[in-house]
Amino acid sequence: TAVALVGGGLIEHALEGRHWLGTSFGVGFAAASSVIGNTVLLVQSFLYLGGGEFFGGGMDFHALTVAVSGVLILAVLVGLLVELGGRWRNAPIAPVAYDAAQARWFAYVVFWATCLVATSVSYVFSSVPIDVTTARYVLTGYIACGALLPLLALRNRSWRMAVVAGVSVFALVAAYQIVRKPFAPANSWPDPRQANVLVRLAEREHVSVGYAGYWVAADLTWLSHFKIHVYPALLCAVPTLPPTVYCRFDEQRISSWYTPEPHIRSMLIVDPKQPLYVGSPDPLMGKPLAVRNADGLTVYIYPYDIAGHIHPGL
């Protein structure tokens, strides 16, 4: 803990020195009425991480493979809780004779059991859970389940065969799901073809800097192999500002992204499938030099850097 706190403090100091700006995460204790819902969401989160979130799914072949993954994950969770509880109750009373191998095994089990229990408890009693997408906060517990599987395999030969069979089935189902691409995002994101079209457009218009919605900006920057730099912006939604004014993205940002550079062109990129953050140009930015289409993306070209028209926000 001390190493994490000191190391984190040093990293934070270095980032602030290079103008990386952080925002408070705002985590609190869950309301008493939310604990049961958070517990249900915890189980769903473990299933979601393993591709086995079958609640509310259909009954076709793919849905059944998802259910198989989910049942296996639930079996592991229940089995580990029973096994850890039994080991806790039957642990020898201290002091016990020291044995190096047993000490290493004990440390291993305690470490991963703590990861599983502490992560789960923190999740249930915090304000973090919103929906299954917050499953990323129990990833440590999910990894702990795999690390603790040997506890079940060591019971006897039958359990060992069951664990091997279960892991094999889980791996086969996971391979099938990966090939089938089971994750269906709620929205469509920019693809490599759009990024390539945008790169060619930017080269013709002599522009390499742009602004777009958060998800659009990140995807286009990476997919273009950094040939264009697209930074995130969003509608301010500040009562004292016009509703069309754009602000700097409020979670992850670097100050230099929003420092206007002289004598360069820039662009505002609107993805009609992602209008939440950036939906149309702000009239205060001035009249664009040109409006182009990049394989479905609407690109407004400006003869100057529009970073100067992006408000710092609150």
Side-chain angles (χ1 to χ4, degrees):
T1 303
V3 170
L5 290 173
V6 173
L10 292 174
I11 293 173
E12 181 181 16
H13 178 74
L15 290 174
E16 290 178 349
R18 293 186 175 271
H19 307 290
W20 283 70
L21 307 176
T23 55
S24 58
F25 197 59
V27 176
F29 283 106
S33 58
S34 302
V35 172
I36 295 178
N38 286 357
T39 303
V40 174
L41 198 54
L42 174 67
V43 176
Q44 288 182 274
S45 296
F46 276 106
L47 299 180
Y48 183 78
L49 288 173
E53 218 286 277
F54 61 90
F55 292 108
M59 293 295 289
D60 58 4
F61 178 75
H62 174 67
L64 291 176
T65 63
V66 173
V68 170
S69 295
V71 170
L72 289 172
I73 293 169
L74 289 174
V76 169
L77 282 171
V78 173
L80 286 177
L81 290 176
V82 172
E83 179 68 18
L84 291 172
R87 286 176 176 265
W88 177 274
R89 290 190 302 270
N90 299 324
I93 300 175
V96 296
Y98 177 77
D99 178 84
Q102 287 297 322
R104 288 192 296 270
W105 178 241
F106 176 80
Y108 177 90
V109 172
V110 169
F111 174 81
W112 285 112
T114 302
C115 288
L116 175 59
V117 175
T119 301
S120 301
V121 171
S122 299
Y123 189 80
V124 168
F125 289 96
S126 75
S127 60
V128 166
I130 299 175
D131 52 35
V132 291
T133 62
T134 53
R136 59 189 182 273
Y137 297 113
V138 296
L139 182 58
T140 302
Y142 179 76
I143 296 172
C145 289
L148 291 171
L149 266 178
L151 292 180
L152 301 179
L154 288 174
R155 282 186 168 185
N156 54 49
R157 179 181 175 82
S158 298
W159 274 91
R160 188 153 50 251
M161 293 175 63
V163 168
V164 171
V167 170
S168 300
V169 171
F170 185 82
L172 288 173
V173 171
Y176 163 78
Q177 291 178 341
I178 290 173
V179 171
R180 191 185 181 278
K181 298 181 179 179
F183 178 69
N187 300 293
S188 298
W189 316 109
D191 55 42
R193 185 178 65 180
Q194 288 179 307
N196 291 332
V197 173
L198 184 62
V199 167
R200 292 194 294 270
L201 171 63
E203 290 174 346
R204 290 197 305 268
E205 298 290 344
H206 305 289
V207 58
S208 60
V209 175
Y211 293 87
Y214 174 68
W215 297 106
V216 176
D219 285 1
L220 290 175
T221 300
W222 280 95
L223 291 174
S224 70
H225 301 285
F226 289 85
K227 293 177 181 177
I228 53 176
H229 293 257
V230 186
Y231 303 128
L234 77 165
L235 289 168
C236 292
V238 178
T240 57
L241 296 174
T244 57
V245 172
Y246 286 100
C247 281
R248 302 173 182 181
F249 192 69
D250 57 354
E251 292 185 12
Q252 298 91 15
R253 64 178 184 263
I254 302 176
S255 59
S256 60
W257 292 351
Y258 308 99
T259 302
E261 297 184 34
H263 313 302
I264 69 166
R265 290 182 170 190
S266 63
M267 53 189 171
L268 182 73
I269 303 166
V270 177
D271 186 345
K273 301 187 297 296
Q274 296 292 326
L276 179 61
Y277 296 121
V278 175
S280 61
D282 177 13
L284 297 178
M285 289 181 177
K287 186 178 180 179
L289 190 67
V291 182
R292 300 284 187 260
N293 182 279
D295 195 26
L297 302 174
T298 304
V299 183
Y300 299 85
I301 310 294
Y302 291 86
Y304 45 80
D305 191 353
I306 59 174
H309 296 273
I310 297 180
H311 197 274
L314 297 178

